[in-house]
Amino acid sequence: MEIPEIIQNLEEKIYTIGRASQIKNYKEKRPLPLCLIDVQKYGNYANIYNEKQLCYLKVTIVPYRQRKKATICFNCSGYFHSARNCQMHPKCIKCNGQHTTRERSIKETITDPTFINCGDTGHLAVWKGCKALPTIKKHANRLNICPSRNKQEQER
């Protein structure tokens, strides 16, 4: 099923679509039979969970499960953006130096690393248990849409 077909079918059912994309397998870079659809909060947007058929296919619509932790930039070790979009000066997550981590010439382990964002010692900038790592509380109105599989596939 193509993304424009899905958008057209949802718009015919009076839903306002913000963006849509097909989810890919991370390692193999192949498209999966899952789509991520951003439905705007207009009109009957809550009724989309009652939809059982889309483009003559049986579908299951579930809310998007967002990560509870913020993304970390591997260029500056800041939050809520990635290195691809970063305009800040680089910071090393191991030694807190003014260079990227991959340019670090010292290969031995650091006994007492200093975390860039909280100032604590003893853990790196990417440690998930740090108190400075913000948690995300807001839930997005994105949906995962996947064609329902037949009973034989579900039993496997």
Side-chain angles (χ1 to χ4, degrees), residues 79 115 118 120 123 127-134:
Y79 296 117
F115 185 43
C118 73
D120 287 349
H123 64 274
W127 183 51
K128 301 291 185 197
C130 179
K131 63 182 178 190
L133 184 64

Side-chain angles (χ1 to χ4, degrees), residues 32-134:
L32 295 172
L34 297 169
C35 294
L36 186 65
I37 309 289
D38 190 7
V39 179
Q40 302 293 323
K41 288 187 176 181
Y42 298 114
N44 65 344
Y45 72 94
N47 291 336
I48 196 158
Y49 298 108
N50 299 331
E51 297 290 336
K52 303 294 180 205
Q53 187 175 1
L54 191 62
C55 298
Y56 303 105
L57 289 173
K58 287 185 177 181
V59 294
T60 304
I61 299 178
V62 295
Y64 179 72
R65 291 176 288 172
Q66 188 174 9
R67 292 181 179 172
K68 296 191 178 177
K69 300 288 182 177
T71 56
I72 298 175
C73 174
F74 287 105
N75 182 44
C76 70
S77 297
Y79 296 117
F80 302 112
H81 68 279
S82 64
R84 179 184 290 174
N85 303 321
C86 185
Q87 303 297 321
M88 304 290 286
H89 295 291
K91 283 229 174 182
C92 180
I93 63 170
K94 294 181 179 178
C95 69
N96 203 3
Q98 294 292 328
H99 58 271
T100 59
T101 306
R102 67 178 151 254
E103 293 171 356
R104 181 171 166 74
S105 59
I106 303 169
K107 298 297 180 190
E108 67 267 1
T109 59
I110 299 171
T111 56
D112 243 356
T114 303
F115 185 43
I116 298 166
N117 294 325
C118 73
D120 287 349
T121 57
H123 64 274
L124 298 176
V126 292
W127 183 51
K128 301 291 185 197
C130 179
K131 63 182 178 190
L133 184 64

Side-chain angles (χ1 to χ4, degrees), residues 133-153:
L133 184 64
T135 57
I136 300 170
K137 294 177 183 166
K138 184 180 176 185
H139 296 285
N141 281 337
R142 293 182 183 171
L143 306 172
N144 281 336
I145 299 179
C146 61
S148 296
R149 298 180 180 132
N150 60 25
K151 290 182 182 179
Q152 294 172 355
E153 288 180 315

